Structures are given as C-alpha cells and as structure tokens.
Amino acid sequence: MINEDALFYSRVLTELTLSFHIIYATIGVGVPLMIMIAQWVGIKKNDEHYILLARRWTRGFVITVAVGVVTGTAIGLQLSLLWPNFMELAGNVIALPLFMETFAFFFEAIFLGIYLYTWDRFENQRKHLLLLIPVAIGASFSAVFITMVNSFMNAPQGFDIVNGELVNINPILAMFNPAMPTKVAHVVASAYMTSAFVLAAIAAFRLIKGSDHIYHKKALYLTMKLGLIFSIATAVIGDFSGKYLAEYQPEKLAAAEWHFETEADAPLILYGTLENGEVKYAIEIPKALSILAHGIPSAEVIGLEEFPEDEIPPLYIHYLFDIMVTIGVWMMFLSFLYWLGTKRSWAFIHTKWFRWLIVLGGPLSIIAIEMGWWLAEVGRQPWVLRGIMRTAEAATSSDQVDLMLILFAGLYVILAIGSVVILSRMFRRNPVERELEDREADKGGVIQ
Amino acid sequence: MNLEILGIMVLWTFLFGYVIVASIDFGAGFFNAYSLFNGKQHILTNIIQRYLSPVWEVTNVFLVFFFVGIVGFFPKTAFYYGTILLVPVSIAILLLAIRGSYYAFETYGARGHKGYSFMYGLSGLFLPASLSIVLTISEGGFVSIVDGKPVLDYWELFTSPLTWSIVVLSIVAVLYISAVFLTWYAHKAHDQDATELMRNYALIWSMPLIITASGIIVEIRAHNPEHFGNLLNLWWMFALSFLLFLGTVWLIWKRKHYGRAFGLLAGQFALAFFAYGFSHYPYLLYPHLTIYDGFTNKTMAISLVVAFIAGLGLLIPSLYLLLRLFLFNKDYVTGQHIHTNKRRYS
C-alpha cells in the first residue's frame, strides 16, 4: 500500500533539504583545500598576505560549516524518517561507507576546532598547516564516502536477492560499484572547482568595489588558476561519466540527450525544446554522442525505445544537463582567458566588466552543481535503488510529511538569510586593510 | 560476546558520550541565556563561550555517529523508528539547527545578541525533551502495527505520565550535569564568582534529579512490568549510582575536588545509563523489535566493527589532543590567549 501524498511530499522534502545542503556541503568540501593551499603558498613564498587569506577564508568557512553540519544532520536523519523501507534494505549493504563518513566528519570537526582556536597559540605557521591537512582530508573523504552511498543507489551490487531475502552480502563490493569512480571523482573535482570560483568571485567583487589592494589581486589570481585546473579535471571526469552511463545506465544518458532510437553515429543534441516528442530548435553535433558514450564516432548508442515506458526518467533532465555543461565549459573558458591574460598582460582582464563576469561565475558554478545533482537524481527515477526498489516502495507511510515540509522550508529560509547576513557583515566590518594594520601593530608589540 | 551485544554496547556507549557532552552543551546554553536575563552575564558568559567554542561541532558528531551506527547495525530500526519518529525527530533536528547555526552566527557575527542567546538557551531545554521521547516509545505501548506498518499513538504518548516523567528527568539531568561540569571548569579558570554561581546551580538541581529518577522507576512498574522486573535485578547498579551521586553532592557542598566530583557524576550516570540499557535487553522497541531480529547480516556487522576499531584508532588520539589543548590547557582555560582573538572576530 503506497501513500501517494507521503511519497510526493517525501520527495519534495528530500530534494529541498539536499538542494540546500549541497550549497554548503560543496563549499565545505572545497574550501578547506583552498585554505590549505593558501597557507602553504604563504609559507613557501614567505608572504603574509596568503596566510591572512587562509585565515579570512576560514572565518567565513566556519559559518558555512555550521549550516552544512545542521543540514547534513537533517538529511542524515531524514533518510530514515522519510525512506524507512529503503534504509532498512540498504542499511544491510551500504552501511559501511555511511558509517565511515561519520568518522571522516568527526576527524574534520576535531581538527577544525583546534585550527580555529589555536591561531594565536602557535607562532610557527607550519604547525597551522599541519592542522589544516586533517581538516581538508576529513572534508574530502566525507564527500568520497557519502558519494559511494549515492553511487550504490545508481548501481547496486554486492548482494543477491533470493526469495526476497538478501544473501551473499559483500560491503566492499557494494562500495566499489561501477558508478563509484566517476561519481566520486566528479563530485570532489566539481566541489574544488566551485569553491575556487566562489572565492574568486569574492576577490573580484572587492576589487570592483574599490579596494585595489594587492591582497585581493593575489587571491583572485590564485583562485582563478585553481579554478581552471579543477574545471578541466571536472570536464575530463564528466566525459568518463558519460561513458559510464552508456555502459551501465543507458536510460539516463538517453533521457538526458533525448536519444530515442538506438543508432550508430549518434549526434549530440544541445539545447532545443521538446514538443509532442519532436525535438525543435536544437543544435546537433554529428557523432558527438557516440564519442561521449563510447569514444568511437561510429559506435552504437542505446536509445529510450529499448526501455519500458514506466522505467524511463523524466525527459526534462535534458535541460539540466545542458545548463550544467554550458556553465562548466564557460567557466573553463573564462578562467583560461584570465590566466592567459594575466600572463600576457592583457588590459581587459582588469576592466570592471570582466571582473563582473568573474563575480557571476561564483553563483553560476553553484547553479551547475545543483543542476548536476538534479540530473543525477531525477535521471535514476523511477528507481531509488536502480533495478531493485522503486521510489514509491521506499517512502514512509506517515501522514505528517506535508507539515514537516513547511517546517523545514521555513528553517532553510532562516538559515539562508542568517548565513548571508552574518557573512557579509563579518567581512564588511573588518576589511582586509584594517586587519593588515592590526597585524602590523601586533607584530610591533611583540618585538618591543 | 556475540555481535549483536557488541553492536548495541558500542552504540549505547556513544549515546552515553552524547548524553554527557550534549548535556553540558544544552545546559550551558540555558545558563548563559538565564544569566543574560538576570544580569549575571559578566560572570558566566566568558567561561561558557570559552569551553563551548572549540567543541560544539564535535558534540553534534556524537549524535550523528549514534544514528548512523544504529541503522548500520540494526537496519530494521530504520523501518520501525523511522516511520513513527517523523514528527518528534524533525522537531529535534529543527532545534539542533537553531543551536548549531545560531551558535556560529552569534560567536562570529553578533556577539551578545539577546534574542539569539534566548533561542539558544530555550532550544537546549526542548532538545532533551524531544529526544527523550524515543526512550518513552521504546518502552512499548504506544506503537501498533496497522497494515504491516508501525503507527504511533500520539494521544496515548502525550497523556502518559511516563512520557512526562522522562521529559522532566532529561531536563533536570541536563541542568545538573552542566552545572557540575561548569563549576569544575570555572574553578580551573580561577573564576571565583562563576564557580560559586555554578556551584549553587549544581546543588539546586541535585534534588529534583534524584526525585525524578526514582519516579521513573515507579512509572515503569505500572507501564511495563517485565522491564521493571529486569530493573530490580540490577538494583545494585542503581544503588552504586546513588552512592556516587551522594559523593558528588558532598564534594560540591564542601567546595573541594570539583574535578573528582565531575568524575563521580560521570560514574553515576554511566552506571544508571548502562543499568537501564541492560534491563531493556533484548528489546529495541518493546515488544516489536529485539536486537536479534533487527540485526544486520554477519558480513556487514564484522566490517562495521573493523571500521569502528580503525575509526577509534584515529579518533581517540584526536579527541585527546582536543582535550589537551582546550580543556586541560591552563593558558587556554584561564583565558590567556583570548583577548587577541576576540578583537579579530568582532
């Protein structure tokens, strides 16, 4: 017996929580690495500005971590509250990485606390760097483990079902499922990329707003360079993800690409609209889908016609795919232009309009993350465990989900406003110029 | 010892850890807000902020660890408890969110904001209440199986005296544990005023604690005779626990050995907590779910235990480092390094 209302609201609530959580989670995974790199560059170049950069990033990071932790706790519990049947089944097979994620999280929490409250206790900057390593590792590994859980939902393995019973369970095989390598790599690389572009947007914004300090220029150059590296990595891994989909989840790729008939020399469809099953206004790139799917221009790509009607994901995921890829390519191009322009001393790099493009890049990258996750998640509908359990069978039977949806929506609105207000106030009240003066004064005080 | 017992012991121990650190956290939030309103803020706020700042996130992880662990070791709990706990646990998440975010917001954004502190303090009292509902439900009698799905009877739950006894006990325990800890911490910080104030609170809350705790046992006798019988078999653990309680109160009354007093308190709660846990054996949800029919498969159990041991190998030294640097570090506790930090934050 399926409670249709509970199913619908459970899906909406889960989507809402995750969509909100991943903004903070992505920053939570990527920023520690950026802080660590800034600290390391500061030590290597003996440049106070980078050390300060690391500190100021960390201060903002704490606020995003707080929201990330509470929304993460929410989704952790909601998994059992909204999808009890799914968790009962999956718990038997996939509990191991879930469990390991909490250890990574624990590890990060401990060292973040130590790092934050020992700024003025260790004179040696290298010790600070040592404290940052576990924070960055913990942050990245919690992403690795939790993405393993998600990839298991896309490609469940490591068990057999005999007469409705789970047998021959192998947790390691469940963790290292076929979806895992591309998914984990794509999530981690895109988190680094997004964080780099968000931080670049902040630096560019300060430069536009009149602070012409060398500190912001250093910050911008460092983050754009890192953003370029990670956006290239993300794109390369994205290509591997396409090949994974062609092999293991062809219905998701076909739905994302509006590829209806199985054929060789399959064209890639960019943009366009779908009207009564007809694709209109689209740009077709001949053979590109075959290349994306199999690396060979003449390869055959499975189309949607091969699947029963009730196992096909919604076709609107094509738009999500387009937006994600377009933003990714655009950001790669923009950061490359910036990097090249700086090397060649092109003047337009320093103009206001170009800096506005960089500012825009921060929110754009976050939009790309959202689009990517929606594509990945909606693309495996109607399954919660592909091929094994339908989403409808997994949901709770409780009648109060709609009420909880309202409650949580209110919470997220408050958290969003709160974090934005606090973050902007924190940095506006204490601009880098003043902090640099303070530090000079402190140093003077020590020597006397 | 079989894996089921090992699994539940591990989880119960972590839950105990959470009860202690979260009680300190919840209670401290309440005392902080209370002191703000009766003008004693200058006495307490520094002590409380200094302790809570580096550990609030770690406290939260204890809880995450428990609920991830229980679904891992006992996947059937996701089915039973997941279905019936939607409302109470969602409220608890909301309160946790208020605490976690406002804590960071207040510390880094708007120091001393009365509204934030008030919310923070209040949520600390509601949280133990919303979480302790789970303990009441586990006693049985509130859940029935309809069409193969568990359904919670809210009316029955909210009109049961057992529910309210456990709620009151959890709140009182939070205030008592927190007060004893902060007495010790303030004493270490050589903060005479804060020590005296917290000592008063500790003594004030000790009596209601022991009265409500005894009351629960009477309630259970009426509600779940089988459980009550098991509790009686473990009477000596409760007696020992009571002796430790007397020790704590005596030391605090005499104004000496606050550290040892907190140690006795930890022992008191550990004994009572584990005695309660043992007496609940073998049920996770009376009478629908035992640890045996809710347990995961053997392969998963073994790999979870291995992951747990490896994780602890990482965790214990890190926690030790954290405690060394903040809790047992003289310079930090007495605030030698605070002044420079503070200016930079504000």
Side-chain angles (χ1 to χ4, degrees):
Chain A
M1 202 185 67
I2 289 157
N3 181 343
E4 287 289 342
D5 275 350
L7 169 64
F8 174 74
Y9 290 119
S10 294
R11 288 183 63 180
V12 177
L13 180 50
T14 308
E15 178 170 8
L16 180 70
T17 304
L18 274 174
S19 299
F20 189 68
H21 176 64
I22 53 173
I23 298 175
Y24 294 88
T26 302
I27 292 171
V29 171
V31 169
L33 183 78
M34 306 300 144
I35 296 170
M36 197 178 94
I37 291 173
Q39 178 85 9
W40 179 64
V41 172
I43 292 170
K44 218 181 62 173
K45 291 191 174 170
N46 198 14
D47 186 333
E48 186 79 1
H49 285 144
Y50 288 99
I51 306 275
L52 187 62
L53 198 58
R55 290 188 169 203
R56 288 176 65 90
W57 283 347
T58 310
R59 223 171 294 154
F61 177 63
V62 176
I63 304 293
T64 60
V65 163
V67 180
V69 167
V70 298
T71 52
T73 310
I75 190 64
L77 280 161
Q78 278 175 0
L79 277 182
S80 297
L81 296 174
L82 300 175
W83 310 100
N85 303 306
F86 161 69
M87 281 306 276
E88 188 194 346
L89 175 72
N92 279 298
V93 193
I94 201 65
L96 184 61
L98 215 56
F99 198 57
M100 285 160 90
E101 196 241 344
T102 53
F103 274 113
F105 182 30
F106 228 135
F107 198 51
E108 182 197 347
I110 290 172
F111 280 94
L112 184 65
I114 296 178
Y115 174 73
L116 282 176
Y117 292 90
T118 53
W119 274 348
D120 298 300
R121 277 163 72 175
F122 301 133
E123 276 305 307
N124 189 348
Q125 288 300 328
R126 279 172 209 282
K127 281 192 187 167
H128 285 290
L129 182 63
L130 283 182
L131 288 172
L132 277 169
I133 295 170
V135 178
I137 290 178
S140 295
F141 268 85
S142 47
V144 168
F145 290 129
I146 206 67
T147 312
M148 278 178 172
V149 177
N150 181 269
S151 53
F152 170 80
M153 294 159 85
N154 281 279
Q157 68 167 33
F159 62 101
D160 295 316
I161 299 181
V162 178
N163 300 330
E165 298 266 314
L166 291 176
V167 290
N168 298 332
I169 286 163
N170 184 340
I172 305 291
L173 206 62
M175 278 169 76
F176 293 92
N177 54 69
M180 191 282 279
T182 46
K183 238 189 200 276
V184 167
H186 198 64
V187 165
V188 173
S190 61
Y192 293 156
M193 165 189 158
T194 304
S195 304
F197 286 135
V198 167
L199 295 171
I202 295 169
F205 187 74
R206 294 307 308 157
L207 285 170
I208 292 171
K209 286 290 162 193
S211 164
D212 207 26
H213 202 282
I214 182 80
Y215 165 91
H216 296 302
K217 289 182 181 161
K218 285 177 184 170
L220 185 60
Y221 185 63
L222 176 69
T223 48
M224 284 301 268
K225 208 164 69 175
L226 288 170
L228 174 62
I229 295 167
F230 288 119
S231 56
I232 294 171
T234 308
V236 171
I237 299 159
D239 180 61
F240 289 145
S241 304
K243 293 181 172 44
Y244 155 78
L245 286 179
E247 186 75 26
Y248 293 93
Q249 268 178 299
E251 77 278 15
K252 191 193 268 187
L253 184 70
E257 279 307 323
W258 289 347
H259 183 62
F260 298 102
E261 284 156 33
T262 302
E263 60 183 359
D265 304 308
L268 187 76
I269 294 175
L270 275 181
Y271 315 114
T273 57
L274 197 62
E275 281 162 30
N276 306 322
E278 290 282 313
V279 180
K280 285 190 178 166
Y281 314 114
I283 306 168
E284 265 191 36
I285 308 174
K287 299 175 194 282
L289 184 59
S290 290
I291 297 173
L292 176 70
H294 299 286
I296 304 161
S298 62
E300 192 179 78
V301 182
I302 298 173
L304 280 174
E305 60 177 5
E306 313 267 336
F307 299 93
E309 193 104 349
D310 65 341
E311 286 182 17
I312 292 176
L315 292 177
Y316 73 81
I317 62 172
H318 174 72
Y319 304 115
L320 308 176
F321 186 73
D322 278 349
I323 298 171
M324 174 186 80
V325 172
T326 308
I327 293 174
V329 172
W330 163 247
M331 289 314 294
M332 194 158 58
F333 170 73
L334 189 73
S335 52
F336 178 72
L337 204 63
Y338 178 84
W339 175 77
L340 196 69
T342 316
K343 287 275 164 212
R344 298 273 174 92
S345 314
W346 290 342
F348 77 89
I349 295 296
H350 307 294
T351 55
K352 248 186 178 171
W353 66 266
F354 192 81
R355 281 175 179 161
W356 273 117
L357 288 181
I358 298 175
V359 173
L360 197 64
L364 275 182
S365 307
I366 288 181
I367 290 173
I369 293 275
E370 296 282 0
M371 295 299 144
W373 270 114
W374 292 347
L375 163 71
E377 296 305 280
V378 180
R380 76 180 143 93
Q381 287 307 322
W383 304 105
V384 65
L385 275 176
R386 183 182 176 271
I388 292 172
M389 187 185 242
R390 283 178 181 261
T391 312
E393 299 162 320
T396 179
S397 52
S398 174
D399 288 326
Q400 289 97 358
V401 188
D402 46 350
L403 197 68
M404 296 300 114
L405 175 64
I406 297 169
L407 220 62
F408 278 101
L411 171 71
Y412 300 145
V413 170
I414 294 169
L415 287 181
I417 295 173
S419 55
V420 171
V421 168
I422 298 287
L423 277 173
S424 53
R425 192 194 289 168
M426 218 159 107
F427 290 98
R428 208 172 298 143
R429 278 192 191 164
N430 188 16
V432 69
E433 288 80 2
R434 196 201 302 166
E435 192 162 355
L436 278 168
E437 275 169 29
D438 278 2
R439 290 180 65 80
E440 287 298 316
D442 275 4
K443 282 246 159 90
V446 171
I447 294 163
Q448 278 159 10
Chain B
M1 189 158 44
N2 54 26
L3 280 169
E4 287 88 348
I5 306 271
L6 182 68
I8 197 70
M9 283 288 280
V10 163
L11 295 171
W12 201 242
T13 309
F14 260 82
L15 191 59
F16 174 71
Y18 181 67
V19 166
I20 295 295
V21 291
S23 293
I24 294 172
D25 185 51
F26 298 164
F30 176 78
F31 289 128
N32 187 37
Y34 181 68
S35 68
L36 239 163
F37 280 86
N38 68 3
K40 290 179 182 164
Q41 187 205 9
H42 55 285
I43 305 177
L44 282 187
T45 298
N46 272 343
I47 289 290
I48 288 174
Q49 297 274 343
R50 210 176 299 151
Y51 163 72
L52 287 182
S53 303
V55 298
W56 69 266
E57 207 189 333
V58 176
T59 305
N60 195 53
V61 189
F62 268 94
L63 177 68
V64 176
F65 191 96
F66 174 76
F67 72 68
V68 169
I70 195 154
V71 175
F73 278 104
F74 303 96
K76 273 211 166 64
T77 54
F79 176 69
Y80 283 95
Y81 280 110
T83 309
I84 54 184
L85 287 179
L86 179 69
V87 176
V89 172
S90 290
I91 291 170
I93 299 172
L94 233 62
L95 295 170
L96 277 173
I98 289 173
R99 288 186 78 70
S101 57
Y102 280 131
Y103 188 73
F105 290 0
E106 200 212 320
T107 312
Y108 302 104
R111 207 171 254 279
H113 190 289
K114 270 199 177 187
Y116 289 172
S117 308
F118 184 66
M119 296 275 276
Y120 190 63
L122 212 60
S123 63
L125 288 191
F126 285 123
L127 255 169
S130 67
L131 290 174
S132 62
I133 287 279
V134 183
L135 285 182
T136 320
I137 292 172
S138 75
E139 289 298 332
F142 307 109
V143 177
S144 49
I145 307 290
V146 180
D147 291 334
K149 309 256 185 195
V151 177
L152 181 63
D153 186 342
Y154 282 98
W155 177 251
E156 185 77 17
L157 183 68
F158 285 114
T159 51
S160 160
L162 179 67
T163 309
W164 297 105
S165 311
I166 291 185
V167 165
V168 172
L169 173 67
S170 65
I171 293 174
V172 173
V174 158
L175 294 173
Y176 175 67
I177 293 172
S178 188
V180 173
F181 175 82
L182 288 171
T183 308
W184 174 38
Y185 197 75
H187 181 70
K188 276 177 74 109
H190 304 296
D191 190 332
Q192 205 54 46
D193 294 342
T195 313
E196 278 304 306
L197 191 60
M198 291 319 301
R199 176 182 167 274
N200 281 340
Y201 291 151
L203 292 173
I204 288 171
W205 289 108
S206 62
M207 270 309 119
L209 174 84
I210 217 67
I211 293 168
T212 45
S214 319
I216 300 277
I217 297 184
V218 179
E219 291 295 338
I220 287 182
R221 181 175 142 166
H223 188 86
N224 185 340
E226 191 181 332
H227 191 188
F228 180 71
N230 292 338
L231 279 171
L232 283 193
N233 290 338
L234 293 166
W235 68 270
W236 56 275
M237 285 181 82
F238 291 103
L240 218 58
S241 172
F242 182 68
L243 288 180
L244 294 180
F245 165 76
L246 290 183
T248 311
V249 175
W250 189 74
L251 285 178
I252 288 183
W253 181 260
K254 288 281 172 197
R255 287 197 178 79
K256 57 184 182 188
H257 304 306
Y258 290 128
R260 215 169 290 164
F262 184 73
L264 292 181
L265 172 136
Q268 173 210 337
F269 275 89
L271 275 168
F273 195 78
F274 279 92
Y276 174 82
F278 292 147
S279 68
H280 210 279
Y281 173 86
Y283 292 105
L284 288 170
L285 173 62
Y286 183 87
H288 303 293
L289 186 65
T290 70
I291 60 171
Y292 294 101
D293 49 45
F295 199 58
T296 187
N297 56 86
K298 199 165 176 190
T299 335
M300 180 54 83
I302 291 171
S303 45
L304 284 179
V305 169
V306 171
F308 177 74
I309 291 168
L312 275 193
L314 207 69
L315 213 57
I316 289 172
S318 316
L319 276 174
Y320 176 74
L321 184 66
L322 186 75
L323 293 179
R324 270 298 298 272
L325 283 171
F326 298 110
L327 209 47
F328 303 122
N329 185 289
K330 222 174 149 196
D331 283 350
Y332 180 79
V333 173
T334 52
Q336 301 284 332
H337 290 270
I338 286 298
H339 56 285
T340 43
N341 248 346
K342 220 181 203 170
R343 197 184 60 220
R344 279 183 197 150
Y345 278 134
S346 50

